[in-house]
Amino acid sequence: MKQLIVLLCLIGASSFAQKGGIAFRPESVDQVFAAARKANKPVFVEVYSPTCHVCQSFMPTLADSRVGKFYNAKFVSTKVDLMSKETQAWLSKRKLYVPSLPLFLYFDPQQNLVHMAMSNNSAEEVIRHGTQALDPTTRSQKYRQRFASGDRNPNFLIDYGMYAKVTTDTVANIKAMEEYARQQPVGQMASQTNWLVLQKLVMDMDNPLAQNLINNLGQYKAFGADEPRNVAENILMSTLFSGRGAQFPAAKVMQVRNGLVKIGIDQKVAANRTLLPEVNAYFKARQTGKAVARMDSQVSNFPLTVPEYLYISRLFNKQSPDPSDVPTVTKWITKALATNKATVQEQADLYYEMAAAQLRAGKKADAQKAAQKAMDLAKAAKIDTKRNVQQLAELK
């Protein structure tokens, strides 16, 4: 009986805490915003995960009666699980990125983001962020205007950099973090604050803080044996595979490779990681010979599987700016066929690419033979022959 009484007391206490704290609505996000429009109130969204220990530590704060009194009067509130498909689709549609949890997002009733915060765990801080969201002069939505007007306070730059990252505005993030890095004394580059900035905010390998990390990894040993290298590696790779990285010339791609080697990545591993960006950079510069030489070196030094031979053959057939690569592409396809490891479908695909390569070189008769072989193999594999029919028709 005593245990039952204790259990009932705990349940009652939990209910009271929920009633006293933020009243998170259980409906779908769209329904929550519909309710907000009806009430003419902004919306507070906590992005969380049930497995996030930090999120769990916020539960008493969000259940605090002071927090509840403020938020329930000013906002319509809901919480969304980051791991659910619905939440991910909703965030993706709004081009929002979640760098860490919990993340506080504040919207107007029409689902326009006006403020975001990653709060310290206290009632005062959570209320402060809500107050900022309500004030048009302090909310995150005004950060771009403040930056354009010349605000260069380092704390503001950190906030702006994070807002830009959450809203996937990479250009704004890079500009804010460059300004922040320029203000840092040389002797403070590896400070605790700047280490956090490197971990959470820096997205560009050319940022002075990133360059200091890449070139002076030993300065950061206090932050762990492996973590500094991991952070440097992440900055280098995210730079390379960003939208701007796709436009890098080959020399810039080589800078990424050299940076990886500098932080301790094996040279061959670094070369493998930068292979495709380097080849694509040569294509853009119409340097087919260099693209062929780079890929052929890879083929010679690292045995490829049949699917890998197929991939690079397709890549050159689709992206090469001129047919000077065709003899080498033909050699790769012949090597793949000679392995005797290709399935009938893979053989059909290889001969299809062989025909495409020969057609690019103006060798119509050879292309027809390869295309017919591809058709026969496709039929034997009982796969769709629509593209084979089209290819043969183009060669008549």
Side-chain angles (χ1 to χ4, degrees), residues 4 24 28 58 60-61 96 108 124 150 168 185 197-198 206 221 273 290 315 335 337 345-346 364 387 392:
L4 178 60
F24 289 109
S28 70
F58 268 77
T61 302
L96 297 175
D108 67 19
E124 292 76 15
T168 61
V197 168
L198 281 164
D206 291 329
K221 59 184 178 181
R273 291 187 183 181
K290 289 185 177 181
L315 175 68
K335 277 188 175 184
L337 291 166
Q345 180 172 341
E346 287 172 336
K364 191 172 181 180
R387 68 170 185 165
L392 282 167

Side-chain angles (χ1 to χ4, degrees), residues 239-253 276-278 280-285:
T239 301
L240 181 60
F241 289 100
S242 64
R244 66 194 185 284
Q247 305 303 318
F248 281 172
K252 192 71 173 181
V253 177
L276 292 179
E278 187 178 344
N280 283 321
Y282 288 134
F283 284 154
K284 289 186 181 72

Side-chain angles (χ1 to χ4, degrees), residues 21-42:
I22 296 177
F24 289 109
R25 298 179 69 104
E27 304 99 320
S28 70
V29 172
D30 286 340
Q31 289 174 320
V32 169
F33 276 96
R37 287 191 292 274
K38 187 174 181 180
N40 195 28
K41 285 184 177 182

